[in-house]
Amino acid sequence: MAMTTITPAELKGRKIGRVLTKMGVVTREQVHEALAVQKTRKAPLGQLLVELGHCEDRDVSAALAGQAGMEYLDLSQVDLPESVIGALPAESVQAYQVVPIDYDEAGRKLKIAMKSPDNFRAVDDLRLLMGFNVTAAVADADAVDALISKHYSKTESVADMMGDLADNEKFSSLQNRGQSIDLDELKEAAEDNQVIKLLNLVLLQAIKDKASDVHFEPFEDEFKMRYRIDGVLYEMVPPPKHLGPAITSRVKVMANLDIAERRLPQDGRIELTVGGNPVDLRVAVLPTLFGESVVMRVLDRSNVELNLDRIGFREDDLETFRGLIHQPNGIAVVTGPTGSGKTTTLYAALAELNDIETKILTAEDPVEYDIDGLCQCQVNEDVKLTFARLLRSFLRQDPDVILVGEIRDLETAQIAVQASLTGHLVLSTLHTNDAPSSIIRLVDLGMEPFLLTATIEGIVAQRLVRTICTRCKEEYSPTEEELMELNLRLEDVRGRTFFRGRGCDNCHNSGYKGRMALFEIMMMDDTLREMVMNEASTAVLREHAVRRGMRTLRENGLLAIYEGLTTIDEVVRETIVEE
């Protein structure tokens, strides 16, 4: 049946069967036949029409485009000029699975073809990330793939682009100008196509390498760029120094910050979708002696497993932790230094508790991940919206579970205790070295010991250690000096096998790829509560907890070493020897 040419506006919002009929692809009888089949077999109507032989896949794609009010393009005979091909870097094309079809550089107007009308996030990201005025059309998936393969098979690396920009002195006038840079000059720098393209490539590479942070740092003679991967900073090929102010201004534009303000710290947020996955970038700008230092925290939800079964608990520890968070009331504390994975553990706990029967409120600074079903509140010191003030309001919201991002002061601790005593489960974090020392920390804040014994149900300490790269993992025999770091002798480990990473391209020659958590769970019992009342020392509390079966961070680390998951160096670096 011949296809009738109809404008997308005439098809927008109509049902798929009606669209295909209006286009002249199928008859009403054929649609009714497919609908009859659909009653016994749950499948999309378009798929059934194709299976019945009434139309082809491209007809359904065109109909879906029309249904969304979008143009459908035939790319079979399209030949792209170099000016259009160069509008998007290969990394962006492959990440978003779109291909540029037309480009007006003067007005930054870009027309793209994509495989599905549902890929609206690609349009949003290209507008935000690269500043294009985007028009989207739909094309056959195979045709899009063919153009990507033909024109974008060779990806441009950050190093390649740095080489191209090394001799470009376009923004050299912005150097060493302090506060005297004209606002129009900064805006022009932030909108420059090369700057946009470079920053886009840097961010895509960071997300691809699973970096947790990207650092842009100005110094007297250079402008450094570093990624933090698995907790360790790696220096990347530095951008030309004269591009520093332009890159910083571009980041500030993307994060909706004031590019004219270069004297005060600023914080912002950028929301992207890369490869179909939502990615949040938390931006922190800090004025320094030689310019503004920018750190972008990458919060890639696809890279974080918010599932207790995959957090890294051993089977017995997981059972203990589940018992802790399913208490009807009380306080559960997760402790450790910054970057030890506390927030991920608490989010995983909330994900497990998150059901239709449970009201969960969170007070966070900042809110790192948006989770459906949770009422999440952002602390804002500028308007005196503190943890304590939020907690007071929470108690009037009839919650079942409350998450306090961090207990920082006596007032917050007192309200958390009050919430616990009135029948709520309170989850929170502290910054201490291990589980037993958390009690002493709360007493130091000014908490009465009898209130702690009445409310604290358990304390979880954790650390993150790097795991050995599986591609270059090799067996080796540790030296006596290495074993001494763990208070072990050669006879203690006779018959055990040790591993390390040799170093390869997969792990940036570090020998490590990924991280795992080590846990220490101290559950309160009557004896521990009595010790707290008697103001016992941390060492005494730890000794009793170990006798009752608590596995320390160091012991968990030793088990991970014996299982070939991590190395002696990592465990020694992240844990302390128990006295």
Side-chain angles (χ1 to χ4, degrees):
M1 194 169 179
M3 186 185 293
T4 304
T5 303
I6 298 175
T7 64
E10 296 178 74
L11 304 175
K12 187 174 182 180
R14 295 176 182 268
K15 292 184 177 180
I16 190 69
R18 179 65 178 147
V19 172
L20 285 165
T21 306
K22 191 97 174 157
M23 290 166 59
V25 174
V26 297
T27 64
R28 298 174 81 178
E29 291 75 17
Q30 289 170 335
V31 172
H32 289 311
E33 181 186 353
L35 287 170
V37 174
Q38 200 176 43
K39 290 178 181 178
T40 58
R41 182 182 161 210
K42 298 300 179 187
L45 185 65
Q47 178 185 327
L48 293 174
L49 285 166
V50 172
E51 290 177 2
L52 290 168
H54 299 322
C55 63
E56 298 178 1
D57 285 327
R58 72 176 301 276
D59 298 326
V60 176
S61 296
L64 289 171
Q67 192 181 39
M70 297 170 67
E71 180 185 0
Y72 183 82
L73 297 175
D74 181 3
L75 301 182
S76 57
Q77 304 299 321
V78 168
D79 188 22
L80 300 179
E82 284 297 324
S83 59
V84 173
I85 294 170
L88 288 178
E91 291 277 353
S92 297
V93 169
Q94 292 174 350
Y96 297 119
Q97 289 295 290
V98 300
V99 64
I101 297 300
D102 192 26
Y103 179 48
D104 174 13
E105 187 173 3
R108 292 195 63 75
K109 295 178 182 177
L110 180 70
K111 184 175 183 179
I112 59 171
M114 52 192 188
K115 301 175 184 179
S116 165
D118 297 331
N119 192 11
F120 59 90
R121 288 192 179 275
V123 179
D124 293 341
D125 282 0
L126 288 172
R127 283 178 181 144
L128 173 65
L129 192 60
M130 301 191 71
F132 288 117
N133 181 6
V134 182
T135 303
V138 178
D140 179 67
D142 290 339
V144 173
D145 285 337
L147 283 177
I148 292 175
S149 177
K150 179 179 178 181
H151 298 292
Y152 299 95
S153 57
K154 181 184 181 300
T155 60
E156 185 175 17
S157 69
V158 174
D160 293 337
M161 182 163 255
M162 296 299 185
D164 294 340
L165 292 171
D167 299 325
N168 189 333
E169 298 294 328
K170 184 176 180 180
F171 302 113
S172 57
S173 62
L174 298 179
Q175 287 188 80
N176 306 319
R177 292 266 299 275
Q179 304 300 319
S180 65
I181 302 178
D182 183 70
L183 184 58
D184 289 334
E185 286 186 80
L186 278 179
K187 285 180 179 177
E188 183 184 348
E191 296 299 327
D192 183 78
N193 197 45
Q194 281 187 308
V195 173
I196 292 171
K197 196 173 177 182
L198 171 64
L199 187 58
N200 184 46
L201 204 56
V202 167
L203 294 180
L204 288 172
Q205 187 65 44
I207 294 164
K208 179 182 174 183
D209 289 343
K210 294 182 167 49
S212 60
D213 303 87
V214 183
H215 296 241
F216 296 103
E217 302 162 318
F219 295 96
E220 186 174 10
D221 299 317
E222 60 181 335
F223 187 81
K224 286 189 176 181
M225 182 175 72
R226 297 194 285 178
Y227 290 168
R228 187 180 296 279
I229 301 172
D230 296 335
V232 177
L233 279 170
Y234 295 90
E235 187 168 356
M236 312 307 287
V237 178
K241 186 178 186 301
H242 61 267
L243 276 181
I247 291 173
T248 302
S249 298
R250 181 62 200 165
V251 173
K252 290 168 75 172
V253 166
M254 291 167 61
N256 293 317
L257 300 179
D258 183 3
I259 64 171
E261 179 56 76
R262 298 187 300 284
R263 300 163 299 173
L264 297 173
Q266 295 186 68
D267 295 307
R269 189 170 182 168
I270 302 169
E271 296 180 2
L272 306 173
T273 300
V274 179
N277 298 314
V279 178
D280 285 352
L281 302 173
R282 275 199 349 239
V283 179
V285 182
L286 180 71
T288 71
L289 187 61
F290 299 108
E292 290 177 297
S293 172
V294 177
V295 176
M296 307 175 78
R297 168 67 60 88
V298 182
L299 301 171
D300 184 356
R301 235 180 278 178
S302 67
N303 196 25
V304 177
E305 192 67 65
L306 299 181
N307 184 327
L308 281 183
D309 293 313
R310 300 189 182 182
I311 287 293
F313 282 110
R314 295 187 174 277
E315 197 170 331
D316 54 344
D317 283 344
L318 178 57
E319 187 178 340
T320 303
F321 186 72
R322 278 207 163 104
L324 175 61
I325 65 171
H326 283 92
Q327 299 276 354
N329 53 57
I331 299 176
V333 177
V334 179
T335 184
T338 301
S340 60
K342 301 186 299 294
T343 303
T344 301
T345 299
L346 285 176
Y347 272 126
L350 291 180
E352 177 146 323
L353 296 171
N354 188 12
D355 58 43
I356 197 67
E357 300 170 354
T358 306
K359 170 90 169 186
I360 301 176
L361 295 173
T362 76
E364 304 173 63
D365 184 21
V367 175
E368 293 201 5
Y369 297 102
D370 303 327
I371 301 178
D372 290 338
L374 271 58
C375 297
Q376 296 172 272
C377 303
Q378 169 83 48
V379 168
N380 187 344
E381 300 285 354
D382 293 341
V383 293
K384 294 183 169 51
L385 186 61
T386 61
F387 281 117
R389 191 169 179 183
L390 278 170
L391 273 176
R392 283 197 197 91
S393 299
F394 282 3
L395 297 181
R396 297 190 291 273
Q397 290 281 318
D398 187 31
D400 298 299
V401 179
I402 295 172
L403 168 68
V404 186
E406 184 185 343
I407 296 178
R408 294 176 179 172
D409 50 45
L410 177 59
E411 187 181 13
T412 305
Q414 288 173 331
I415 301 171
V417 165
Q418 180 188 343
S420 168
L421 291 171
T422 52
H424 306 90
L425 174 65
V426 180
L427 306 177
S428 190
T429 69
L430 269 177
H431 285 260
T432 58
N433 290 326
D434 58 9
S437 61
S438 299
I439 298 291
I440 307 303
R441 168 70 178 142
L442 289 169
V443 171
D444 284 344
L445 285 176
M447 287 299 301
E448 296 290 345
F450 73 89
L451 287 175
L452 297 180
T453 60
T455 54
I456 299 286
E457 295 294 334
I459 302 170
V460 180
Q462 73 177 82
R463 295 288 188 282
L464 292 177
V465 293
R466 291 183 292 172
T467 50
I468 300 169
C469 174
T470 53
R471 293 195 189 175
C472 61
K473 186 175 181 179
E474 64 179 10
E475 231 179 275
Y476 86 110
S477 298
T479 64
E480 194 169 347
E481 288 77 14
E482 285 180 289
L483 294 174
M484 283 175 63
E485 295 270 16
L486 295 170
N487 275 4
L488 295 174
R489 295 168 298 176
L490 287 172
E491 50 266 33
D492 296 329
V493 297
R494 189 165 284 117
R496 294 192 181 277
T497 306
F498 291 79
F499 295 90
R500 65 185 174 191
R502 187 174 56 254
C504 63
D505 291 340
N506 181 54
C507 60
H508 300 282
N509 292 310
S510 67
Y512 299 98
K513 186 74 173 175
R515 290 191 288 179
M516 65 176 290
L518 305 178
F519 294 96
E520 173 180 286
I521 305 178
M522 186 177 84
M523 298 297 293
M524 297 296 284
D525 60 18
D526 291 340
T527 305
L528 267 177
R529 289 187 170 94
E530 188 176 339
M531 288 178 171
V532 173
M533 289 292 292
N534 294 329
E535 299 183 356
S537 68
T538 298
V540 173
L541 295 176
R542 183 187 297 112
E543 184 182 349
H544 173 76
V546 170
R547 280 204 309 268
R548 285 293 309 273
M550 180 182 83
R551 191 187 295 117
T552 65
L553 288 166
R554 175 57 62 91
E555 288 170 342
N556 263 310
L558 281 171
L559 290 175
I561 291 171
Y562 296 152
E563 291 167 359
L565 299 174
T566 190
T567 64
I568 293 174
D569 288 344
E570 281 295 293
V571 173
V572 169
R573 184 166 63 91
E574 293 294 343
T575 66
I576 58 173
V577 179
E578 294 82 28
E579 300 296 338

